[in-house]
Amino acid sequence: VAANIAEAFKKKSNKDKIRILNIAQGSLSETEYFLILAKDLKYANMDELMALADQVGRILEAYIKAIKG
C-alpha cells in the first residue's frame, strides 16, 4: 500500500495518480482480508490493526477526492 502511494505521488497526471491510488485501495483490501483471517485463526487480536487499515482507507479516499477536485 505504501509503495503504491509513493508511486502515485511521483506521477505527473492526475489520471495516473488516481489509477495507482485505486491500486493502493485494492492492496489495502487484501491486507484487511489477511488481518481478518489472522483474527479468525486466533493468531492475535487484530482490532487495532483493522482500525488503522480503516483510517488508511479513509485517507486514501480523501486524497483521491482532492485530486479529482
PDB file of all heavy atoms in Angstrom, residues 8-45:
ATOM      1  N   ALA A   8       2.279   6.845  -6.739  1.00  0.00           N
ATOM      2  CA  ALA A   8       1.270   7.801  -7.199  1.00  0.00           C
ATOM      3  C   ALA A   8       1.737   9.233  -6.999  1.00  0.00           C
ATOM      4  O   ALA A   8       1.481  10.103  -7.838  1.00  0.00           O
ATOM      5  CB  ALA A   8      -0.043   7.565  -6.462  1.00  0.00           C
ATOM      6  N   PHE A   9       2.428   9.480  -5.904  1.00  0.00           N
ATOM      7  CA  PHE A   9       2.909  10.824  -5.605  1.00  0.00           C
ATOM      8  C   PHE A   9       3.807  11.355  -6.715  1.00  0.00           C
ATOM      9  O   PHE A   9       3.793  12.545  -7.023  1.00  0.00           O
ATOM     10  CB  PHE A   9       3.656  10.817  -4.272  1.00  0.00           C
ATOM     11  CG  PHE A   9       4.168  12.158  -3.860  1.00  0.00           C
ATOM     12  CD1 PHE A   9       3.305  13.120  -3.343  1.00  0.00           C
ATOM     13  CD2 PHE A   9       5.506  12.472  -3.991  1.00  0.00           C
ATOM     14  CE1 PHE A   9       3.776  14.366  -2.967  1.00  0.00           C
ATOM     15  CE2 PHE A   9       5.987  13.721  -3.620  1.00  0.00           C
ATOM     16  CZ  PHE A   9       5.115  14.663  -3.103  1.00  0.00           C
ATOM     17  N   LYS A  10       4.586  10.484  -7.329  1.00  0.00           N
ATOM     18  CA  LYS A  10       5.547  10.893  -8.356  1.00  0.00           C
ATOM     19  C   LYS A  10       4.927  11.047  -9.745  1.00  0.00           C
ATOM     20  O   LYS A  10       5.567  11.595 -10.642  1.00  0.00           O
ATOM     21  CB  LYS A  10       6.694   9.893  -8.446  1.00  0.00           C
ATOM     22  CG  LYS A  10       7.667  10.000  -7.302  1.00  0.00           C
ATOM     23  CD  LYS A  10       8.329  11.353  -7.336  1.00  0.00           C
ATOM     24  CE  LYS A  10       9.678  11.323  -6.677  1.00  0.00           C
ATOM     25  NZ  LYS A  10      10.366  12.578  -6.800  1.00  0.00           N
ATOM     26  N   LYS A  11       3.716  10.556  -9.940  1.00  0.00           N
ATOM     27  CA  LYS A  11       3.095  10.646 -11.264  1.00  0.00           C
ATOM     28  C   LYS A  11       2.723  12.085 -11.578  1.00  0.00           C
ATOM     29  O   LYS A  11       2.323  12.850 -10.718  1.00  0.00           O
ATOM     30  CB  LYS A  11       1.852   9.754 -11.342  1.00  0.00           C
ATOM     31  CG  LYS A  11       2.161   8.277 -11.246  1.00  0.00           C
ATOM     32  CD  LYS A  11       3.018   7.833 -12.411  1.00  0.00           C
ATOM     33  CE  LYS A  11       3.359   6.368 -12.336  1.00  0.00           C
ATOM     34  NZ  LYS A  11       4.201   5.920 -13.420  1.00  0.00           N
ATOM     35  N   LYS A  12       2.853  12.440 -12.848  1.00  0.00           N
ATOM     36  CA  LYS A  12       2.593  13.813 -13.277  1.00  0.00           C
ATOM     37  C   LYS A  12       1.106  14.083 -13.486  1.00  0.00           C
ATOM     38  O   LYS A  12       0.614  15.137 -13.114  1.00  0.00           O
ATOM     39  CB  LYS A  12       3.348  14.118 -14.586  1.00  0.00           C
ATOM     40  CG  LYS A  12       4.851  13.953 -14.483  1.00  0.00           C
ATOM     41  CD  LYS A  12       5.461  14.998 -13.592  1.00  0.00           C
ATOM     42  CE  LYS A  12       6.976  14.843 -13.600  1.00  0.00           C
ATOM     43  NZ  LYS A  12       7.597  15.429 -12.450  1.00  0.00           N
ATOM     44  N   SER A  13       0.400  13.154 -14.098  1.00  0.00           N
ATOM     45  CA  SER A  13      -1.010  13.409 -14.405  1.00  0.00           C
ATOM     46  C   SER A  13      -1.917  12.920 -13.282  1.00  0.00           C
ATOM     47  O   SER A  13      -1.628  11.920 -12.609  1.00  0.00           O
ATOM     48  CB  SER A  13      -1.406  12.736 -15.719  1.00  0.00           C
ATOM     49  OG  SER A  13      -1.562  11.339 -15.546  1.00  0.00           O
ATOM     50  N   ASN A  14      -3.001  13.648 -13.088  1.00  0.00           N
ATOM     51  CA  ASN A  14      -3.965  13.251 -12.068  1.00  0.00           C
ATOM     52  C   ASN A  14      -4.598  11.897 -12.391  1.00  0.00           C
ATOM     53  O   ASN A  14      -4.890  11.126 -11.484  1.00  0.00           O
ATOM     54  CB  ASN A  14      -5.043  14.316 -11.913  1.00  0.00           C
ATOM     55  CG  ASN A  14      -4.523  15.539 -11.191  1.00  0.00           C
ATOM     56  OD1 ASN A  14      -3.465  15.507 -10.570  1.00  0.00           O
ATOM     57  ND2 ASN A  14      -5.260  16.634 -11.272  1.00  0.00           N
ATOM     58  N   LYS A  15      -4.786  11.635 -13.683  1.00  0.00           N
ATOM     59  CA  LYS A  15      -5.360  10.346 -14.091  1.00  0.00           C
ATOM     60  C   LYS A  15      -4.468   9.193 -13.616  1.00  0.00           C
ATOM     61  O   LYS A  15      -4.962   8.196 -13.085  1.00  0.00           O
ATOM     62  CB  LYS A  15      -5.529  10.307 -15.610  1.00  0.00           C
ATOM     63  CG  LYS A  15      -6.189   9.062 -16.123  1.00  0.00           C
ATOM     64  CD  LYS A  15      -6.369   9.114 -17.637  1.00  0.00           C
ATOM     65  CE  LYS A  15      -6.960   7.827 -18.145  1.00  0.00           C
ATOM     66  NZ  LYS A  15      -7.131   7.830 -19.596  1.00  0.00           N
ATOM     67  N   ASP A  16      -3.163   9.322 -13.808  1.00  0.00           N
ATOM     68  CA  ASP A  16      -2.223   8.291 -13.354  1.00  0.00           C
ATOM     69  C   ASP A  16      -2.202   8.190 -11.829  1.00  0.00           C
ATOM     70  O   ASP A  16      -2.146   7.093 -11.271  1.00  0.00           O
ATOM     71  CB  ASP A  16      -0.807   8.562 -13.864  1.00  0.00           C
ATOM     72  CG  ASP A  16      -0.603   8.131 -15.303  1.00  0.00           C
ATOM     73  OD1 ASP A  16      -1.412   7.345 -15.819  1.00  0.00           O
ATOM     74  OD2 ASP A  16       0.393   8.590 -15.903  1.00  0.00           O
ATOM     75  N   LYS A  17      -2.224   9.348 -11.154  1.00  0.00           N
ATOM     76  CA  LYS A  17      -2.235   9.333  -9.688  1.00  0.00           C
ATOM     77  C   LYS A  17      -3.442   8.559  -9.174  1.00  0.00           C
ATOM     78  O   LYS A  17      -3.316   7.697  -8.303  1.00  0.00           O
ATOM     79  CB  LYS A  17      -2.280  10.759  -9.135  1.00  0.00           C
ATOM     80  CG  LYS A  17      -0.997  11.534  -9.239  1.00  0.00           C
ATOM     81  CD  LYS A  17      -1.181  12.929  -8.640  1.00  0.00           C
ATOM     82  CE  LYS A  17      -0.006  13.822  -8.901  1.00  0.00           C
ATOM     83  NZ  LYS A  17       1.185  13.503  -8.156  1.00  0.00           N
ATOM     84  N   ILE A  18      -4.613   8.868  -9.701  1.00  0.00           N
ATOM     85  CA  ILE A  18      -5.845   8.220  -9.253  1.00  0.00           C
ATOM     86  C   ILE A  18      -5.816   6.733  -9.557  1.00  0.00           C
ATOM     87  O   ILE A  18      -6.223   5.912  -8.722  1.00  0.00           O
ATOM     88  CB  ILE A  18      -7.070   8.914  -9.878  1.00  0.00           C
ATOM     89  CG1 ILE A  18      -7.213  10.325  -9.282  1.00  0.00           C
ATOM     90  CG2 ILE A  18      -8.342   8.092  -9.662  1.00  0.00           C
ATOM     91  CD1 ILE A  18      -8.199  11.206 -10.007  1.00  0.00           C
ATOM     92  N   ARG A  19      -5.330   6.352 -10.728  1.00  0.00           N
ATOM     93  CA  ARG A  19      -5.264   4.934 -11.100  1.00  0.00           C
ATOM     94  C   ARG A  19      -4.404   4.163 -10.105  1.00  0.00           C
ATOM     95  O   ARG A  19      -4.798   3.094  -9.615  1.00  0.00           O
ATOM     96  CB  ARG A  19      -4.685   4.785 -12.519  1.00  0.00           C
ATOM     97  CG  ARG A  19      -4.602   3.342 -13.008  1.00  0.00           C
ATOM     98  CD  ARG A  19      -4.025   3.274 -14.418  1.00  0.00           C
ATOM     99  NE  ARG A  19      -2.677   3.783 -14.495  1.00  0.00           N
ATOM    100  CZ  ARG A  19      -1.585   3.104 -14.145  1.00  0.00           C
ATOM    101  NH1 ARG A  19      -1.689   1.879 -13.671  1.00  0.00           N
ATOM    102  NH2 ARG A  19      -0.390   3.639 -14.262  1.00  0.00           N
ATOM    103  N   ILE A  20      -3.258   4.702  -9.746  1.00  0.00           N
ATOM    104  CA  ILE A  20      -2.370   3.992  -8.826  1.00  0.00           C
ATOM    105  C   ILE A  20      -2.908   4.026  -7.400  1.00  0.00           C
ATOM    106  O   ILE A  20      -2.762   3.055  -6.652  1.00  0.00           O
ATOM    107  CB  ILE A  20      -0.940   4.551  -8.938  1.00  0.00           C
ATOM    108  CG1 ILE A  20      -0.403   4.227 -10.335  1.00  0.00           C
ATOM    109  CG2 ILE A  20      -0.034   3.971  -7.868  1.00  0.00           C
ATOM    110  CD1 ILE A  20       0.913   4.800 -10.672  1.00  0.00           C
ATOM    111  N   LEU A  21      -3.565   5.108  -7.020  1.00  0.00           N
ATOM    112  CA  LEU A  21      -4.195   5.139  -5.700  1.00  0.00           C
ATOM    113  C   LEU A  21      -5.335   4.123  -5.617  1.00  0.00           C
ATOM    114  O   LEU A  21      -5.569   3.538  -4.555  1.00  0.00           O
ATOM    115  CB  LEU A  21      -4.677   6.548  -5.365  1.00  0.00           C
ATOM    116  CG  LEU A  21      -3.560   7.556  -5.105  1.00  0.00           C
ATOM    117  CD1 LEU A  21      -4.130   8.971  -4.986  1.00  0.00           C
ATOM    118  CD2 LEU A  21      -2.751   7.192  -3.873  1.00  0.00           C
ATOM    119  N   ASN A  22      -6.026   3.880  -6.726  1.00  0.00           N
ATOM    120  CA  ASN A  22      -7.045   2.828  -6.753  1.00  0.00           C
ATOM    121  C   ASN A  22      -6.401   1.457  -6.563  1.00  0.00           C
ATOM    122  O   ASN A  22      -6.975   0.579  -5.911  1.00  0.00           O
ATOM    123  CB  ASN A  22      -7.845   2.869  -8.054  1.00  0.00           C
ATOM    124  CG  ASN A  22      -8.849   3.989  -8.075  1.00  0.00           C
ATOM    125  OD1 ASN A  22      -9.351   4.412  -7.038  1.00  0.00           O
ATOM    126  ND2 ASN A  22      -9.155   4.488  -9.247  1.00  0.00           N
ATOM    127  N   ILE A  23      -5.228   1.265  -7.108  1.00  0.00           N
ATOM    128  CA  ILE A  23      -4.488   0.019  -6.884  1.00  0.00           C
ATOM    129  C   ILE A  23      -4.135  -0.104  -5.403  1.00  0.00           C
ATOM    130  O   ILE A  23      -4.236  -1.184  -4.815  1.00  0.00           O
ATOM    131  CB  ILE A  23      -3.230  -0.042  -7.778  1.00  0.00           C
ATOM    132  CG1 ILE A  23      -3.643  -0.173  -9.257  1.00  0.00           C
ATOM    133  CG2 ILE A  23      -2.321  -1.204  -7.372  1.00  0.00           C
ATOM    134  CD1 ILE A  23      -2.509   0.032 -10.246  1.00  0.00           C
ATOM    135  N   ALA A  24      -3.741   1.005  -4.797  1.00  0.00           N
ATOM    136  CA  ALA A  24      -3.435   1.002  -3.356  1.00  0.00           C
ATOM    137  C   ALA A  24      -4.664   0.606  -2.548  1.00  0.00           C
ATOM    138  O   ALA A  24      -4.556  -0.140  -1.568  1.00  0.00           O
ATOM    139  CB  ALA A  24      -2.926   2.375  -2.916  1.00  0.00           C
ATOM    140  N   GLN A  25      -5.840   1.084  -2.969  1.00  0.00           N
ATOM    141  CA  GLN A  25      -7.077   0.700  -2.284  1.00  0.00           C
ATOM    142  C   GLN A  25      -7.303  -0.814  -2.385  1.00  0.00           C
ATOM    143  O   GLN A  25      -7.719  -1.448  -1.417  1.00  0.00           O
ATOM    144  CB  GLN A  25      -8.278   1.448  -2.858  1.00  0.00           C
ATOM    145  CG  GLN A  25      -8.306   2.908  -2.476  1.00  0.00           C
ATOM    146  CD  GLN A  25      -9.450   3.646  -3.126  1.00  0.00           C
ATOM    147  OE1 GLN A  25      -9.708   3.494  -4.321  1.00  0.00           O
ATOM    148  NE2 GLN A  25     -10.129   4.469  -2.343  1.00  0.00           N
ATOM    149  N   GLY A  26      -7.019  -1.372  -3.554  1.00  0.00           N
ATOM    150  CA  GLY A  26      -7.142  -2.820  -3.718  1.00  0.00           C
ATOM    151  C   GLY A  26      -6.164  -3.569  -2.834  1.00  0.00           C
ATOM    152  O   GLY A  26      -6.519  -4.582  -2.208  1.00  0.00           O
ATOM    153  N   SER A  27      -4.954  -3.075  -2.761  1.00  0.00           N
ATOM    154  CA  SER A  27      -3.946  -3.697  -1.891  1.00  0.00           C
ATOM    155  C   SER A  27      -4.360  -3.604  -0.428  1.00  0.00           C
ATOM    156  O   SER A  27      -4.145  -4.535   0.355  1.00  0.00           O
ATOM    157  CB  SER A  27      -2.584  -3.027  -2.090  1.00  0.00           C
ATOM    158  OG  SER A  27      -2.121  -3.230  -3.405  1.00  0.00           O
ATOM    159  N   LEU A  28      -4.969  -2.503  -0.062  1.00  0.00           N
ATOM    160  CA  LEU A  28      -5.448  -2.339   1.305  1.00  0.00           C
ATOM    161  C   LEU A  28      -6.556  -3.355   1.608  1.00  0.00           C
ATOM    162  O   LEU A  28      -6.589  -3.931   2.693  1.00  0.00           O
ATOM    163  CB  LEU A  28      -5.941  -0.916   1.533  1.00  0.00           C
ATOM    164  CG  LEU A  28      -6.456  -0.586   2.928  1.00  0.00           C
ATOM    165  CD1 LEU A  28      -5.363  -0.803   3.975  1.00  0.00           C
ATOM    166  CD2 LEU A  28      -6.974   0.833   2.980  1.00  0.00           C
ATOM    167  N   SER A  29      -7.432  -3.589   0.641  1.00  0.00           N
ATOM    168  CA  SER A  29      -8.482  -4.597   0.829  1.00  0.00           C
ATOM    169  C   SER A  29      -7.884  -5.978   1.044  1.00  0.00           C
ATOM    170  O   SER A  29      -8.368  -6.751   1.886  1.00  0.00           O
ATOM    171  CB  SER A  29      -9.423  -4.619  -0.378  1.00  0.00           C
ATOM    172  OG  SER A  29     -10.165  -3.431  -0.438  1.00  0.00           O
ATOM    173  N   GLU A  30      -6.838  -6.291   0.307  1.00  0.00           N
ATOM    174  CA  GLU A  30      -6.154  -7.573   0.500  1.00  0.00           C
ATOM    175  C   GLU A  30      -5.550  -7.647   1.903  1.00  0.00           C
ATOM    176  O   GLU A  30      -5.641  -8.685   2.573  1.00  0.00           O
ATOM    177  CB  GLU A  30      -5.046  -7.753  -0.537  1.00  0.00           C
ATOM    178  CG  GLU A  30      -5.559  -7.934  -1.946  1.00  0.00           C
ATOM    179  CD  GLU A  30      -4.451  -7.915  -2.983  1.00  0.00           C
ATOM    180  OE1 GLU A  30      -3.296  -7.612  -2.629  1.00  0.00           O
ATOM    181  OE2 GLU A  30      -4.749  -8.200  -4.147  1.00  0.00           O
ATOM    182  N   THR A  31      -4.960  -6.558   2.357  1.00  0.00           N
ATOM    183  CA  THR A  31      -4.382  -6.514   3.706  1.00  0.00           C
ATOM    184  C   THR A  31      -5.457  -6.730   4.760  1.00  0.00           C
ATOM    185  O   THR A  31      -5.260  -7.494   5.718  1.00  0.00           O
ATOM    186  CB  THR A  31      -3.676  -5.164   3.937  1.00  0.00           C
ATOM    187  OG1 THR A  31      -2.640  -5.011   2.962  1.00  0.00           O
ATOM    188  CG2 THR A  31      -3.087  -5.066   5.332  1.00  0.00           C
ATOM    189  N   GLU A  32      -6.600  -6.067   4.575  1.00  0.00           N
ATOM    190  CA  GLU A  32      -7.701  -6.231   5.517  1.00  0.00           C
ATOM    191  C   GLU A  32      -8.175  -7.683   5.556  1.00  0.00           C
ATOM    192  O   GLU A  32      -8.480  -8.203   6.638  1.00  0.00           O
ATOM    193  CB  GLU A  32      -8.855  -5.294   5.163  1.00  0.00           C
ATOM    194  CG  GLU A  32      -8.535  -3.842   5.433  1.00  0.00           C
ATOM    195  CD  GLU A  32      -9.564  -2.882   4.892  1.00  0.00           C
ATOM    196  OE1 GLU A  32     -10.227  -3.198   3.884  1.00  0.00           O
ATOM    197  OE2 GLU A  32      -9.701  -1.805   5.476  1.00  0.00           O
ATOM    198  N   TYR A  33      -8.214  -8.331   4.405  1.00  0.00           N
ATOM    199  CA  TYR A  33      -8.599  -9.739   4.362  1.00  0.00           C
ATOM    200  C   TYR A  33      -7.640 -10.588   5.212  1.00  0.00           C
ATOM    201  O   TYR A  33      -8.079 -11.424   6.001  1.00  0.00           O
ATOM    202  CB  TYR A  33      -8.619 -10.267   2.929  1.00  0.00           C
ATOM    203  CG  TYR A  33      -8.608 -11.768   2.881  1.00  0.00           C
ATOM    204  CD1 TYR A  33      -9.760 -12.486   3.175  1.00  0.00           C
ATOM    205  CD2 TYR A  33      -7.435 -12.473   2.627  1.00  0.00           C
ATOM    206  CE1 TYR A  33      -9.751 -13.873   3.182  1.00  0.00           C
ATOM    207  CE2 TYR A  33      -7.418 -13.848   2.638  1.00  0.00           C
ATOM    208  CZ  TYR A  33      -8.580 -14.545   2.906  1.00  0.00           C
ATOM    209  OH  TYR A  33      -8.559 -15.913   2.936  1.00  0.00           O
ATOM    210  N   PHE A  34      -6.356 -10.358   5.050  1.00  0.00           N
ATOM    211  CA  PHE A  34      -5.384 -11.146   5.814  1.00  0.00           C
ATOM    212  C   PHE A  34      -5.470 -10.855   7.314  1.00  0.00           C
ATOM    213  O   PHE A  34      -5.250 -11.749   8.133  1.00  0.00           O
ATOM    214  CB  PHE A  34      -3.963 -10.924   5.295  1.00  0.00           C
ATOM    215  CG  PHE A  34      -3.709 -11.617   3.981  1.00  0.00           C
ATOM    216  CD1 PHE A  34      -3.395 -10.892   2.845  1.00  0.00           C
ATOM    217  CD2 PHE A  34      -3.800 -12.987   3.876  1.00  0.00           C
ATOM    218  CE1 PHE A  34      -3.171 -11.529   1.639  1.00  0.00           C
ATOM    219  CE2 PHE A  34      -3.577 -13.643   2.674  1.00  0.00           C
ATOM    220  CZ  PHE A  34      -3.266 -12.904   1.552  1.00  0.00           C
ATOM    221  N   LEU A  35      -5.804  -9.634   7.681  1.00  0.00           N
ATOM    222  CA  LEU A  35      -5.998  -9.320   9.097  1.00  0.00           C
ATOM    223  C   LEU A  35      -7.214 -10.060   9.658  1.00  0.00           C
ATOM    224  O   LEU A  35      -7.175 -10.590  10.774  1.00  0.00           O
ATOM    225  CB  LEU A  35      -6.150  -7.814   9.300  1.00  0.00           C
ATOM    226  CG  LEU A  35      -4.904  -6.970   9.050  1.00  0.00           C
ATOM    227  CD1 LEU A  35      -5.243  -5.478   9.123  1.00  0.00           C
ATOM    228  CD2 LEU A  35      -3.801  -7.322  10.022  1.00  0.00           C
ATOM    229  N   ILE A  36      -8.288 -10.104   8.875  1.00  0.00           N
ATOM    230  CA  ILE A  36      -9.478 -10.847   9.294  1.00  0.00           C
ATOM    231  C   ILE A  36      -9.162 -12.333   9.424  1.00  0.00           C
ATOM    232  O   ILE A  36      -9.552 -12.989  10.401  1.00  0.00           O
ATOM    233  CB  ILE A  36     -10.639 -10.616   8.303  1.00  0.00           C
ATOM    234  CG1 ILE A  36     -11.122  -9.174   8.397  1.00  0.00           C
ATOM    235  CG2 ILE A  36     -11.792 -11.585   8.564  1.00  0.00           C
ATOM    236  CD1 ILE A  36     -12.036  -8.752   7.265  1.00  0.00           C
ATOM    237  N   LEU A  37      -8.425 -12.864   8.461  1.00  0.00           N
ATOM    238  CA  LEU A  37      -8.042 -14.272   8.504  1.00  0.00           C
ATOM    239  C   LEU A  37      -7.196 -14.571   9.738  1.00  0.00           C
ATOM    240  O   LEU A  37      -7.431 -15.556  10.441  1.00  0.00           O
ATOM    241  CB  LEU A  37      -7.280 -14.654   7.232  1.00  0.00           C
ATOM    242  CG  LEU A  37      -6.821 -16.101   7.118  1.00  0.00           C
ATOM    243  CD1 LEU A  37      -8.016 -17.051   7.108  1.00  0.00           C
ATOM    244  CD2 LEU A  37      -5.973 -16.284   5.863  1.00  0.00           C
ATOM    245  N   ALA A  38      -6.237 -13.720  10.030  1.00  0.00           N
ATOM    246  CA  ALA A  38      -5.376 -13.912  11.197  1.00  0.00           C
ATOM    247  C   ALA A  38      -6.200 -13.873  12.488  1.00  0.00           C
ATOM    248  O   ALA A  38      -5.956 -14.657  13.411  1.00  0.00           O
ATOM    249  CB  ALA A  38      -4.281 -12.854  11.236  1.00  0.00           C
ATOM    250  N   LYS A  39      -7.177 -12.990  12.521  1.00  0.00           N
ATOM    251  CA  LYS A  39      -8.043 -12.915  13.701  1.00  0.00           C
ATOM    252  C   LYS A  39      -8.887 -14.179  13.821  1.00  0.00           C
ATOM    253  O   LYS A  39      -9.013 -14.748  14.915  1.00  0.00           O
ATOM    254  CB  LYS A  39      -8.944 -11.678  13.620  1.00  0.00           C
ATOM    255  CG  LYS A  39      -9.814 -11.489  14.833  1.00  0.00           C
ATOM    256  CD  LYS A  39     -10.635 -10.218  14.731  1.00  0.00           C
ATOM    257  CE  LYS A  39     -11.471 -10.039  15.985  1.00  0.00           C
ATOM    258  NZ  LYS A  39     -12.245  -8.791  15.930  1.00  0.00           N
ATOM    259  N   ASP A  40      -9.467 -14.628  12.692  1.00  0.00           N
ATOM    260  CA  ASP A  40     -10.294 -15.841  12.696  1.00  0.00           C
ATOM    261  C   ASP A  40      -9.498 -17.072  13.123  1.00  0.00           C
ATOM    262  O   ASP A  40     -10.032 -17.966  13.780  1.00  0.00           O
ATOM    263  CB  ASP A  40     -10.915 -16.085  11.325  1.00  0.00           C
ATOM    264  CG  ASP A  40     -12.020 -15.092  10.992  1.00  0.00           C
ATOM    265  OD1 ASP A  40     -12.462 -14.346  11.905  1.00  0.00           O
ATOM    266  OD2 ASP A  40     -12.427 -15.052   9.811  1.00  0.00           O
ATOM    267  N   LEU A  41      -8.234 -17.099  12.749  1.00  0.00           N
ATOM    268  CA  LEU A  41      -7.369 -18.219  13.123  1.00  0.00           C
ATOM    269  C   LEU A  41      -6.778 -18.052  14.519  1.00  0.00           C
ATOM    270  O   LEU A  41      -5.987 -18.884  14.966  1.00  0.00           O
ATOM    271  CB  LEU A  41      -6.248 -18.379  12.089  1.00  0.00           C
ATOM    272  CG  LEU A  41      -6.717 -18.790  10.689  1.00  0.00           C
ATOM    273  CD1 LEU A  41      -5.559 -18.749   9.706  1.00  0.00           C
ATOM    274  CD2 LEU A  41      -7.363 -20.167  10.712  1.00  0.00           C
ATOM    275  N   LYS A  42      -7.185 -16.963  15.174  1.00  0.00           N
ATOM    276  CA  LYS A  42      -6.765 -16.669  16.546  1.00  0.00           C
ATOM    277  C   LYS A  42      -5.245 -16.513  16.692  1.00  0.00           C
ATOM    278  O   LYS A  42      -4.660 -16.895  17.690  1.00  0.00           O
ATOM    279  CB  LYS A  42      -7.304 -17.717  17.514  1.00  0.00           C
ATOM    280  CG  LYS A  42      -8.820 -17.763  17.558  1.00  0.00           C
ATOM    281  CD  LYS A  42      -9.326 -18.742  18.553  1.00  0.00           C
ATOM    282  CE  LYS A  42     -10.817 -18.884  18.639  1.00  0.00           C
ATOM    283  NZ  LYS A  42     -11.713 -18.173  17.872  1.00  0.00           N
ATOM    284  N   TYR A  43      -4.638 -15.950  15.641  1.00  0.00           N
ATOM    285  CA  TYR A  43      -3.201 -15.664  15.735  1.00  0.00           C
ATOM    286  C   TYR A  43      -2.947 -14.504  16.688  1.00  0.00           C
ATOM    287  O   TYR A  43      -1.957 -14.480  17.388  1.00  0.00           O
ATOM    288  CB  TYR A  43      -2.621 -15.332  14.368  1.00  0.00           C
ATOM    289  CG  TYR A  43      -2.481 -16.524  13.441  1.00  0.00           C
ATOM    290  CD1 TYR A  43      -2.518 -16.357  12.066  1.00  0.00           C
ATOM    291  CD2 TYR A  43      -2.303 -17.812  13.924  1.00  0.00           C
ATOM    292  CE1 TYR A  43      -2.384 -17.433  11.211  1.00  0.00           C
ATOM    293  CE2 TYR A  43      -2.175 -18.894  13.078  1.00  0.00           C
ATOM    294  CZ  TYR A  43      -2.215 -18.703  11.725  1.00  0.00           C
ATOM    295  OH  TYR A  43      -2.089 -19.766  10.884  1.00  0.00           O
ATOM    296  N   ALA A  44      -3.839 -13.532  16.649  1.00  0.00           N
ATOM    297  CA  ALA A  44      -3.695 -12.360  17.519  1.00  0.00           C
ATOM    298  C   ALA A  44      -4.953 -11.522  17.421  1.00  0.00           C
ATOM    299  O   ALA A  44      -5.794 -11.737  16.541  1.00  0.00           O
ATOM    300  CB  ALA A  44      -2.489 -11.532  17.091  1.00  0.00           C
ATOM    301  N   ASN A  45      -5.071 -10.557  18.299  1.00  0.00           N
ATOM    302  CA  ASN A  45      -6.171  -9.604  18.230  1.00  0.00           C
ATOM    303  C   ASN A  45      -5.798  -8.544  17.196  1.00  0.00           C
ATOM    304  O   ASN A  45      -4.818  -7.823  17.363  1.00  0.00           O
ATOM    305  CB  ASN A  45      -6.408  -8.976  19.598  1.00  0.00           C
ATOM    306  CG  ASN A  45      -7.601  -8.061  19.600  1.00  0.00           C
ATOM    307  OD1 ASN A  45      -8.122  -7.697  18.555  1.00  0.00           O
ATOM    308  ND2 ASN A  45      -8.038  -7.685  20.786  1.00  0.00           N
TER     309      ASN A  45
END
